[in-house]
Amino acid sequence: MTSTAPQTQQGKDADQQPPGWQQRLRRFGYVPRPVIGLRERLVPPYTRPSERLWPVFGIPPSVANPLLRWAAWGGPLLVALVAGVLRFWNLGTPKAVIFDETYYAKDAWALINQGYEGSWPKDVDKLILKDPSSVPIPTDPGYVVHPPVGKWVIGVGEHFFGFTPFGWRFMVCVLGTLSVLMLCRIGRRLFRSTFLGCLAGALLAVDGLHFVMSRTALLDQVLMFFVLAAFGCLVIDRDWSRRRLAATLPTDEEGVLRPDATVAETLRLGWRPWRLAAGLMLGLAAGTKWNGLYVMVAFCLMTVLWDVGARRTAGAVHPYRAVLRKDVVPAFVSTVPVAIATYIASWTGWIVTNKGYFRNWARTDGKGGSWTWLPDWLRSLWHYENEVYEFHVNLTSGHTYQSNPWSWIVLGRPVSYFYEDPNAGTGGCPPDAADKCAREVLALGTPLLWWAACFAICYVLWRWLFRRDWRAGAIACGIAAGWVPWFFYQERTIFLFYAVVFVPFLCLAVAMMIGAILGPPGSDERRRAIGAIGAGALVLLIIWNFIYFYPLYTGRPIPVEDWRNRMWLDTWV
């Protein structure tokens, strides 16, 4: 017995020694990766700034801890406040019906007043801008090709602020501002860093495409909001489920959490309210525009893979089999049926009015067949959806501003929503202008942010494929869900502003890349200083770039020569 103990201790010491090659590489600066405990792998802690940071700013330790707690919400709220001020400033300008507002603003007004979209006469926009109270709402149903949720959202603003440009842009602007707040919090949870979370939100706040879409009554910004909300709900659910696993796993005599195959493969995670919330958000996304369905499929696959990773980390020998038995059915029930029910409920106005387009199809042209046992409204709705699908897939008519999805990420062909060229002394053009001025609202992402995102996408793909970083995989999934489906419809008339759906994920990718530039935890001061200079320069350049293009985002009159200087690519004209 006495001779075995030293041998056992020597064995433990030998096991704890790094391999010989690691010892030899230490002289060249090699530092082995720290061993992370099971609890930290399941539920990583939030990072804290270095203790050396506070004396630099003269902050005593008694103030530092409350400041950190405040920053978790105070930082995101401050970023969202700045984003809101930028977006709401002169929201009613230009006082015009710009681009596709001509459809959605009027459809929203009809929806909130009579429950279904009307068939508006042509050339009614000028009358609406002059005196909206003099324009009657048409009672004849109008043929519309998008579900009603986004128009209901726009209609809420019109209900409170009138049938005016400010009224129909108000709620879209609210959602644009809230999405900045959400991204700050999502980024904080994703990276376990308040700084990187707020950085992602700040990048979204100064993205030109998101900014313009926040100030325009189109559906894509509403879709983006619900997609981002669904992603946030799933990220919270991931933390919740892994915390539940960690609470169930056994601990050894030293209080260290240990993996357990039985627990990992048999535990039922039970009620998961955040997954239900995600299903609701995905239903609202699909109820805004149909491409929300692609996002639902991608996110459902992503969250199932997250469950596989959680059970594997907890000790499951057969994690896929465990997830198939314990998680797939609850995951499906929590999302898909909830999303479908939400989508159908969004058509309530059309269902109860009995006057919507194709509303009575089942009782007229749709008589007979093998599905007559279904309610008439459901059969009519199915027919309507089929007609809309045929419209979308066959929409190939050319448009001046259409673009191929391959060119979106480099901003190949932005969309001009509004353009005027007032003479000197008129329409806000300075009297001393040498030539005419240009007023334009251009749906253009902040160029330096998007071009940096090209490298950030490559970085997150590398992190996901070669470092198995789930955060990079989640970001890549968000980008792919909003972008890849359009490659299957390249013959269709599509536009760059559809990309606003995955802009938040581009910002997360850039924030993750900037985090890598700053350096990993434990880096020396020289590495941190070099990283801070590089990261700070990139962020400042992006902010400057947004300020430089600000007149093109808001329709502010500028001399034509200044406008030409901002047309960096010929395809932007």
Side-chain angles (χ1 to χ4, degrees), residues 33-56:
R33 291 184 185 178
V35 178
I36 302 175
L38 178 58
R39 189 182 302 277
E40 287 71 25
R41 281 189 287 142
L42 282 171
V43 188
Y46 287 86
T47 58
R48 294 173 60 88
S50 172
E51 297 296 334
R52 295 173 295 179
L53 179 66
W54 306 117
V56 173

Side-chain angles (χ1 to χ4, degrees), residues 58 127 262 294 336 482 512 556:
L127 294 176
T262 302
Y294 293 102
V336 178
M512 190 173 189
R556 199 180 80 185

Side-chain angles (χ1 to χ4, degrees), residues 45-127:
Y46 287 86
T47 58
R48 294 173 60 88
S50 172
E51 297 296 334
R52 295 173 295 179
L53 179 66
W54 306 117
V56 173
F57 295 99
I59 300 175
S62 59
V63 178
N65 288 331
L67 184 63
L68 284 176
R69 289 194 296 269
W70 172 87
W73 271 104
L77 286 171
L78 182 60
V79 174
L81 176 62
V82 173
V85 171
L86 287 172
R87 281 154 175 74
F88 276 99
W89 187 263
N90 287 331
L91 181 61
T93 304
K95 188 179 179 181
V97 181
I98 63 176
F99 202 62
D100 281 354
E101 283 185 342
T102 187
Y103 303 115
Y104 306 128
K106 291 180 289 192
D107 287 342
W109 185 246
L111 267 179
I112 63 167
N113 282 280
Q114 62 187 19
Y116 64 94
E117 297 92 336
S119 179
W120 292 85
K122 294 181 179 180
D123 302 324
V124 74
D125 293 348
K126 293 181 180 179
L127 294 176

Side-chain angles (χ1 to χ4, degrees), residues 186-251:
I186 290 170
R188 179 180 183 272
R189 186 176 290 270
L190 202 66
F191 302 128
R192 288 306 198 257
S193 167
T194 300
F195 170 75
L196 289 181
C198 290
L199 175 61
L203 292 174
L204 186 64
V206 297
D207 174 63
L209 181 60
H210 185 275
F211 179 83
V212 171
M213 297 298 287
S214 296
R215 295 168 54 87
T216 312
L218 270 65
L219 303 180
D220 300 85
Q221 186 79 342
V222 182
L223 171 63
M224 178 279 306
F225 175 84
F226 290 128
V227 168
L228 183 61
F231 181 80
C233 290
L234 291 175
V235 172
I236 297 174
D237 173 76
R238 182 184 186 275
D239 277 357
W240 182 93
S241 61
R242 293 170 78 90
R243 194 176 295 114
R244 173 91 166 83
L245 269 172
T248 312
L249 290 173
T251 57

